[in-house]
PDB file of all heavy atoms in Angstrom:
ATOM      1  N   ASP F 292       9.862 -16.052  18.014  1.00  0.00           N
ATOM      2  CA  ASP F 292       8.559 -15.818  18.575  1.00  0.00           C
ATOM      3  C   ASP F 292       8.635 -15.896  20.128  1.00  0.00           C
ATOM      4  O   ASP F 292       8.916 -17.003  20.710  1.00  0.00           O
ATOM      5  CB  ASP F 292       7.645 -16.914  18.010  1.00  0.00           C
ATOM      6  CG  ASP F 292       6.175 -16.798  18.496  1.00  0.00           C
ATOM      7  OD1 ASP F 292       5.949 -16.054  19.422  1.00  0.00           O
ATOM      8  OD2 ASP F 292       5.307 -17.372  17.775  1.00  0.00           O
ATOM      9  N   LYS F 293       8.343 -14.826  20.776  1.00  0.00           N
ATOM     10  CA  LYS F 293       8.463 -14.817  22.258  1.00  0.00           C
ATOM     11  C   LYS F 293       7.536 -15.707  22.986  1.00  0.00           C
ATOM     12  O   LYS F 293       7.742 -16.052  24.161  1.00  0.00           O
ATOM     13  CB  LYS F 293       8.309 -13.373  22.748  1.00  0.00           C
ATOM     14  CG  LYS F 293       8.688 -13.203  24.202  1.00  0.00           C
ATOM     15  CD  LYS F 293       8.687 -11.725  24.600  1.00  0.00           C
ATOM     16  CE  LYS F 293       9.152 -11.501  26.071  1.00  0.00           C
ATOM     17  NZ  LYS F 293       8.229 -12.215  26.999  1.00  0.00           N
ATOM     18  N   GLN F 294       6.439 -16.186  22.337  1.00  0.00           N
ATOM     19  CA  GLN F 294       5.540 -17.122  23.018  1.00  0.00           C
ATOM     20  C   GLN F 294       6.258 -18.377  23.446  1.00  0.00           C
ATOM     21  O   GLN F 294       6.006 -18.943  24.495  1.00  0.00           O
ATOM     22  CB  GLN F 294       4.355 -17.438  22.151  1.00  0.00           C
ATOM     23  CG  GLN F 294       3.342 -18.399  22.791  1.00  0.00           C
ATOM     24  CD  GLN F 294       2.693 -17.730  24.053  1.00  0.00           C
ATOM     25  OE1 GLN F 294       2.133 -16.701  23.996  1.00  0.00           O
ATOM     26  NE2 GLN F 294       2.899 -18.429  25.193  1.00  0.00           N
ATOM     27  N   TYR F 295       7.263 -18.788  22.561  1.00  0.00           N
ATOM     28  CA  TYR F 295       7.964 -20.009  22.870  1.00  0.00           C
ATOM     29  C   TYR F 295       8.836 -19.730  24.190  1.00  0.00           C
ATOM     30  O   TYR F 295       8.946 -20.568  25.044  1.00  0.00           O
ATOM     31  CB  TYR F 295       8.966 -20.380  21.749  1.00  0.00           C
ATOM     32  CG  TYR F 295       8.203 -20.870  20.547  1.00  0.00           C
ATOM     33  CD1 TYR F 295       8.371 -20.287  19.304  1.00  0.00           C
ATOM     34  CD2 TYR F 295       7.467 -22.066  20.637  1.00  0.00           C
ATOM     35  CE1 TYR F 295       7.738 -20.750  18.203  1.00  0.00           C
ATOM     36  CE2 TYR F 295       6.879 -22.573  19.436  1.00  0.00           C
ATOM     37  CZ  TYR F 295       6.945 -21.942  18.251  1.00  0.00           C
ATOM     38  OH  TYR F 295       6.334 -22.408  17.156  1.00  0.00           O
ATOM     39  N   LEU F 296       9.475 -18.548  24.287  1.00  0.00           N
ATOM     40  CA  LEU F 296      10.310 -18.283  25.450  1.00  0.00           C
ATOM     41  C   LEU F 296       9.383 -18.175  26.688  1.00  0.00           C
ATOM     42  O   LEU F 296       9.768 -18.696  27.795  1.00  0.00           O
ATOM     43  CB  LEU F 296      11.013 -16.944  25.217  1.00  0.00           C
ATOM     44  CG  LEU F 296      11.988 -16.563  26.359  1.00  0.00           C
ATOM     45  CD1 LEU F 296      13.095 -17.480  26.541  1.00  0.00           C
ATOM     46  CD2 LEU F 296      12.532 -15.106  26.082  1.00  0.00           C
ATOM     47  N   ASP F 297       8.246 -17.596  26.519  1.00  0.00           N
ATOM     48  CA  ASP F 297       7.346 -17.497  27.700  1.00  0.00           C
ATOM     49  C   ASP F 297       6.913 -18.875  28.181  1.00  0.00           C
ATOM     50  O   ASP F 297       6.784 -19.157  29.438  1.00  0.00           O
ATOM     51  CB  ASP F 297       6.073 -16.641  27.331  1.00  0.00           C
ATOM     52  CG  ASP F 297       6.346 -15.220  27.072  1.00  0.00           C
ATOM     53  OD1 ASP F 297       7.473 -14.688  27.524  1.00  0.00           O
ATOM     54  OD2 ASP F 297       5.549 -14.508  26.478  1.00  0.00           O
ATOM     55  N   ASP F 298       6.651 -19.768  27.263  1.00  0.00           N
ATOM     56  CA  ASP F 298       6.234 -21.216  27.620  1.00  0.00           C
ATOM     57  C   ASP F 298       7.447 -21.865  28.392  1.00  0.00           C
ATOM     58  O   ASP F 298       7.238 -22.543  29.444  1.00  0.00           O
ATOM     59  CB  ASP F 298       6.060 -21.944  26.353  1.00  0.00           C
ATOM     60  CG  ASP F 298       4.716 -21.659  25.689  1.00  0.00           C
ATOM     61  OD1 ASP F 298       3.885 -20.857  26.285  1.00  0.00           O
ATOM     62  OD2 ASP F 298       4.452 -22.095  24.579  1.00  0.00           O
ATOM     63  N   ALA F 299       8.655 -21.647  27.895  1.00  0.00           N
ATOM     64  CA  ALA F 299       9.816 -22.195  28.524  1.00  0.00           C
ATOM     65  C   ALA F 299       9.993 -21.732  30.012  1.00  0.00           C
ATOM     66  O   ALA F 299      10.327 -22.457  30.931  1.00  0.00           O
ATOM     67  CB  ALA F 299      11.146 -21.964  27.686  1.00  0.00           C
ATOM     68  N   VAL F 300       9.859 -20.418  30.185  1.00  0.00           N
ATOM     69  CA  VAL F 300       9.968 -19.828  31.469  1.00  0.00           C
ATOM     70  C   VAL F 300       8.853 -20.301  32.415  1.00  0.00           C
ATOM     71  O   VAL F 300       9.135 -20.617  33.570  1.00  0.00           O
ATOM     72  CB  VAL F 300       9.935 -18.279  31.341  1.00  0.00           C
ATOM     73  CG1 VAL F 300       9.707 -17.610  32.775  1.00  0.00           C
ATOM     74  CG2 VAL F 300      11.114 -17.760  30.673  1.00  0.00           C
ATOM     75  N   LEU F 301       7.610 -20.461  31.880  1.00  0.00           N
ATOM     76  CA  LEU F 301       6.611 -20.954  32.722  1.00  0.00           C
ATOM     77  C   LEU F 301       6.879 -22.403  33.206  1.00  0.00           C
ATOM     78  O   LEU F 301       6.588 -22.759  34.315  1.00  0.00           O
ATOM     79  CB  LEU F 301       5.237 -20.870  31.942  1.00  0.00           C
ATOM     80  CG  LEU F 301       3.935 -21.204  32.722  1.00  0.00           C
ATOM     81  CD1 LEU F 301       3.732 -20.206  33.785  1.00  0.00           C
ATOM     82  CD2 LEU F 301       2.803 -21.180  31.769  1.00  0.00           C
ATOM     83  N   ALA F 302       7.323 -23.253  32.323  1.00  0.00           N
ATOM     84  CA  ALA F 302       7.640 -24.642  32.639  1.00  0.00           C
ATOM     85  C   ALA F 302       8.749 -24.679  33.657  1.00  0.00           C
ATOM     86  O   ALA F 302       8.707 -25.584  34.607  1.00  0.00           O
ATOM     87  CB  ALA F 302       7.985 -25.415  31.402  1.00  0.00           C
ATOM     88  N   ALA F 303       9.771 -23.797  33.552  1.00  0.00           N
ATOM     89  CA  ALA F 303      10.876 -23.802  34.511  1.00  0.00           C
ATOM     90  C   ALA F 303      10.402 -23.379  35.882  1.00  0.00           C
ATOM     91  O   ALA F 303      10.800 -23.922  36.899  1.00  0.00           O
ATOM     92  CB  ALA F 303      11.976 -22.942  33.976  1.00  0.00           C
ATOM     93  N   ASN F 304       9.546 -22.333  35.894  1.00  0.00           N
ATOM     94  CA  ASN F 304       9.009 -21.843  37.160  1.00  0.00           C
ATOM     95  C   ASN F 304       8.186 -22.865  37.853  1.00  0.00           C
ATOM     96  O   ASN F 304       8.148 -22.895  39.100  1.00  0.00           O
ATOM     97  CB  ASN F 304       8.210 -20.560  36.903  1.00  0.00           C
ATOM     98  CG  ASN F 304       9.068 -19.285  36.965  1.00  0.00           C
ATOM     99  OD1 ASN F 304       9.939 -19.188  37.780  1.00  0.00           O
ATOM    100  ND2 ASN F 304       8.796 -18.332  36.092  1.00  0.00           N
ATOM    101  N   TYR F 305       7.455 -23.713  37.122  1.00  0.00           N
ATOM    102  CA  TYR F 305       6.710 -24.725  37.774  1.00  0.00           C
ATOM    103  C   TYR F 305       7.585 -25.686  38.587  1.00  0.00           C
ATOM    104  O   TYR F 305       7.265 -26.073  39.726  1.00  0.00           O
ATOM    105  CB  TYR F 305       5.964 -25.587  36.745  1.00  0.00           C
ATOM    106  CG  TYR F 305       5.000 -26.582  37.396  1.00  0.00           C
ATOM    107  CD1 TYR F 305       3.684 -26.183  37.795  1.00  0.00           C
ATOM    108  CD2 TYR F 305       5.395 -27.854  37.708  1.00  0.00           C
ATOM    109  CE1 TYR F 305       2.812 -27.054  38.429  1.00  0.00           C
ATOM    110  CE2 TYR F 305       4.562 -28.703  38.353  1.00  0.00           C
ATOM    111  CZ  TYR F 305       3.276 -28.308  38.723  1.00  0.00           C
ATOM    112  OH  TYR F 305       2.466 -29.204  39.382  1.00  0.00           O
ATOM    113  N   VAL F 306       8.754 -26.024  38.022  1.00  0.00           N
ATOM    114  CA  VAL F 306       9.712 -26.910  38.754  1.00  0.00           C
ATOM    115  C   VAL F 306      10.194 -26.224  40.018  1.00  0.00           C
ATOM    116  O   VAL F 306      10.240 -26.816  41.105  1.00  0.00           O
ATOM    117  CB  VAL F 306      10.896 -27.243  37.831  1.00  0.00           C
ATOM    118  CG1 VAL F 306      11.947 -28.012  38.603  1.00  0.00           C
ATOM    119  CG2 VAL F 306      10.436 -28.082  36.651  1.00  0.00           C
ATOM    120  N   ILE F 307      10.532 -24.934  39.953  1.00  0.00           N
ATOM    121  CA  ILE F 307      11.045 -24.180  41.099  1.00  0.00           C
ATOM    122  C   ILE F 307      10.014 -24.036  42.140  1.00  0.00           C
ATOM    123  O   ILE F 307      10.235 -24.242  43.349  1.00  0.00           O
ATOM    124  CB  ILE F 307      11.569 -22.826  40.627  1.00  0.00           C
ATOM    125  CG1 ILE F 307      12.781 -22.979  39.650  1.00  0.00           C
ATOM    126  CG2 ILE F 307      12.092 -21.949  41.840  1.00  0.00           C
ATOM    127  CD1 ILE F 307      13.245 -21.724  38.985  1.00  0.00           C
ATOM    128  N   GLU F 308       8.805 -23.660  41.791  1.00  0.00           N
ATOM    129  CA  GLU F 308       7.889 -23.301  42.747  1.00  0.00           C
ATOM    130  C   GLU F 308       6.941 -24.460  43.242  1.00  0.00           C
ATOM    131  O   GLU F 308       6.373 -24.410  44.322  1.00  0.00           O
ATOM    132  CB  GLU F 308       6.846 -22.225  42.137  1.00  0.00           C
ATOM    133  CG  GLU F 308       7.577 -20.988  41.728  1.00  0.00           C
ATOM    134  CD  GLU F 308       8.191 -20.188  42.815  1.00  0.00           C
ATOM    135  OE1 GLU F 308       7.866 -20.475  44.008  1.00  0.00           O
ATOM    136  OE2 GLU F 308       9.078 -19.354  42.583  1.00  0.00           O
ATOM    137  N   HIS F 309       6.859 -25.569  42.462  1.00  0.00           N
ATOM    138  CA  HIS F 309       6.014 -26.688  42.812  1.00  0.00           C
ATOM    139  C   HIS F 309       6.757 -27.964  43.045  1.00  0.00           C
ATOM    140  O   HIS F 309       6.096 -28.923  43.561  1.00  0.00           O
ATOM    141  CB  HIS F 309       4.898 -26.823  41.747  1.00  0.00           C
ATOM    142  CG  HIS F 309       3.976 -25.701  41.638  1.00  0.00           C
ATOM    143  ND1 HIS F 309       2.830 -25.593  42.385  1.00  0.00           N
ATOM    144  CD2 HIS F 309       4.059 -24.594  40.887  1.00  0.00           C
ATOM    145  CE1 HIS F 309       2.259 -24.411  42.085  1.00  0.00           C
ATOM    146  NE2 HIS F 309       2.990 -23.770  41.185  1.00  0.00           N
ATOM    147  N   MET F 310       7.957 -28.146  42.657  1.00  0.00           N
ATOM    148  CA  MET F 310       8.630 -29.402  42.691  1.00  0.00           C
ATOM    149  C   MET F 310       9.886 -29.397  43.528  1.00  0.00           C
ATOM    150  O   MET F 310      10.613 -30.459  43.571  1.00  0.00           O
ATOM    151  CB  MET F 310       8.929 -29.905  41.239  1.00  0.00           C
ATOM    152  CG  MET F 310       7.717 -30.026  40.373  1.00  0.00           C
ATOM    153  SD  MET F 310       7.995 -30.633  38.702  1.00  0.00           S
ATOM    154  CE  MET F 310       8.179 -32.409  39.018  1.00  0.00           C
ATOM    155  N   SER F 311      10.148 -28.367  44.158  1.00  0.00           N
ATOM    156  CA  SER F 311      11.402 -28.229  45.015  1.00  0.00           C
ATOM    157  C   SER F 311      11.091 -28.272  46.425  1.00  0.00           C
ATOM    158  O   SER F 311      11.356 -27.323  47.191  1.00  0.00           O
ATOM    159  CB  SER F 311      12.132 -26.988  44.602  1.00  0.00           C
ATOM    160  OG  SER F 311      12.326 -26.931  43.226  1.00  0.00           O
ATOM    161  N   ASN F 312      10.500 -29.392  46.959  1.00  0.00           N
ATOM    162  CA  ASN F 312       9.983 -29.506  48.279  1.00  0.00           C
ATOM    163  C   ASN F 312      10.923 -30.168  49.270  1.00  0.00           C
ATOM    164  O   ASN F 312      10.578 -30.457  50.394  1.00  0.00           O
ATOM    165  CB  ASN F 312       8.662 -30.335  48.205  1.00  0.00           C
ATOM    166  CG  ASN F 312       7.650 -29.746  47.339  1.00  0.00           C
ATOM    167  OD1 ASN F 312       7.345 -28.564  47.309  1.00  0.00           O
ATOM    168  ND2 ASN F 312       7.177 -30.560  46.419  1.00  0.00           N
ATOM    169  N   ASN F 313      12.138 -30.386  48.852  1.00  0.00           N
ATOM    170  CA  ASN F 313      13.136 -31.122  49.647  1.00  0.00           C
ATOM    171  C   ASN F 313      14.218 -30.095  50.101  1.00  0.00           C
ATOM    172  O   ASN F 313      15.289 -30.044  49.642  1.00  0.00           O
ATOM    173  CB  ASN F 313      13.777 -32.278  48.771  1.00  0.00           C
ATOM    174  CG  ASN F 313      14.746 -33.120  49.497  1.00  0.00           C
ATOM    175  OD1 ASN F 313      14.859 -33.062  50.733  1.00  0.00           O
ATOM    176  ND2 ASN F 313      15.512 -33.874  48.697  1.00  0.00           N
TER     177      ASN F 313
END
Side-chain angles (χ1 to χ4, degrees):
D292 185 342
K293 192 172 181 295
Q294 183 60 62
Y295 291 120
L296 183 63
D297 291 344
D298 289 350
V300 168
L301 188 62
N304 270 319
Y305 186 87
V306 174
I307 297 172
E308 302 297 342
H309 296 270
M310 303 183 76
S311 303
N312 306 309
N313 183 11

